[in-house]
Amino acid sequence: MQIYLAVTPAEAQEASRFRCSLAHVAYCIGPDSTLLRQNLLLQTRGGLLSVTDRGAPFIASPERLSAAALRECGRRSYGGVLLDFEQPPAPDRLAFAETLARRLSPRPVYVPESYAAASGAIPLICTAISGGNFVQRLQEAAAGRDRAGGLALDVQRLRMDFTLPAQSGEGRPLSGRELQDLLDRESPSVFFSQDLCARYFTYARDGETHFVLFDDADTLSQKLRTGGNMGFAAAFLMYPEVQDLLPMLFPGRRT
């Protein structure tokens, strides 16, 4: 399984010390279906082109935008494209994903799971779950695609505080500092959930019981191993989310 660190141009040099492939978060969609590049070093080569649709206009010409992405992949020797789309699937976005996947083949185009209907693209399956069973989630996703090799992992670092009973399954996201402050203040017993492949603890405050679910280097490593053993094509980690864990996640890769 190929592992990618998603990095901005400012993070690329530091991240490259871990000898993971890089997804260069330096591209966005401009007016008239243009591809805009942001502050990328001239010598950048290899890895993936990563493009966001944050604030992007309607894609009037998926062919024109795809052609621009292909030219940039050729210029920079990129091995594929990551479409880091935040907007819900819309016809223009889906048309671009499908056009790009067709024209870039056999190089991959990775898309959010919500864009799984895009023909030829590889959906990203999020690893941060707060209910159900992690292994079963991957198995069901793979069964829906006929093969795990047509999927990739979106390895998101889980840090969430739930007030029980958490009927919605949604908790309050915690920063790294907030999680550490809770651990320092409460000194809780921390347990491992086999089903969720995450660590957890509970604490009480103002008459309410809280359930905290979080990832560390061990749980993320286990999630990566599980996906790799199942034949997933790739895994993506956001560099700022896991920067402090990289020496433990990839001890043999550090230069």
Side-chain angles (χ1 to χ4, degrees):
M1 183 171 66
Q2 183 71 52
I3 296 174
Y4 293 96
L5 293 177
V7 297
T8 64
E11 297 163 343
Q13 184 173 358
E14 180 69 19
S16 65
R17 296 189 304 116
F18 291 93
R19 291 185 292 167
C20 292
S21 296
L22 303 181
H24 297 281
V25 183
Y27 297 86
C28 61
I29 300 167
D32 301 320
S33 304
T34 54
L35 182 69
L36 303 181
R37 184 177 62 240
Q38 302 171 326
N39 304 321
L40 195 64
L41 295 175
L42 288 174
Q43 65 267 30
T44 299
R45 295 289 185 278
L48 298 181
L49 183 161
S50 178
V51 58
T52 179
D53 69 341
R54 182 181 301 172
F58 178 81
I59 302 172
S61 177
E63 288 285 351
R64 183 184 305 134
L65 185 56
S66 295
L70 261 68
R71 288 194 298 272
E72 187 69 3
C73 285
R75 187 179 300 118
R76 302 276 183 173
S77 299
Y78 291 142
V81 174
L82 168 64
L83 298 183
D84 185 18
F85 283 2
E86 299 178 0
Q87 300 298 318
D92 64 318
R93 265 68 168 165
L94 284 167
F96 169 54
E98 291 183 342
T99 301
L100 182 60
R102 183 184 72 251
R103 296 192 59 178
L104 194 63
S105 180
R107 289 170 290 179
V109 174
Y110 299 98
V111 296
E113 187 175 5
S114 59
Y115 281 77
S119 177
I122 299 177
L124 297 169
I125 307 302
C126 180
T127 64
I129 64 170
S130 59
N133 182 281
F134 175 72
V135 173
Q136 185 176 345
R137 160 115 165 97
L138 298 192
Q139 290 172 337
E140 290 174 351
R145 301 289 292 188
D146 294 326
R147 61 189 182 93
L151 296 170
L153 295 179
D154 177 13
V155 185
Q156 296 184 16
R157 186 174 181 176
L158 184 63
R159 287 182 294 217
M160 197 77 68
D161 186 328
F162 302 85
T163 302
L164 299 180
Q167 296 177 345
S168 69
E170 292 293 327
R172 181 176 70 88
L174 297 172
S175 68
R177 172 50 56 192
E178 288 175 320
L179 175 60
Q180 191 58 53
D181 287 346
L182 273 176
L183 289 167
D184 292 342
R185 183 175 65 247
E186 303 294 336
S187 298
S189 296
V190 177
F191 304 95
F192 174 72
S193 169
Q194 190 71 43
D195 283 348
L196 302 178
C197 194
R199 307 223 182 263
Y200 69 93
F201 64 88
T202 61
Y203 71 96
R205 181 181 296 174
D206 299 328
E208 295 181 319
T209 300
H210 292 251
F211 175 82
V212 176
L213 193 62
F214 68 98
D215 279 314
D216 59 14
D218 287 338
T219 63
L220 292 182
S221 292
Q222 185 165 330
K223 289 174 179 179
L224 288 168
R225 285 195 303 272
T226 300
N229 291 339
M230 291 178 62
F232 275 61
F236 290 82
L237 300 94
M238 293 294 294
Y239 180 73
E241 279 192 7
V242 298
Q243 182 177 5
D244 60 316
L245 301 181
L246 289 175
M248 294 170 282
L249 283 171
F250 308 118
R253 297 190 181 203
R254 187 169 184 172
T255 59

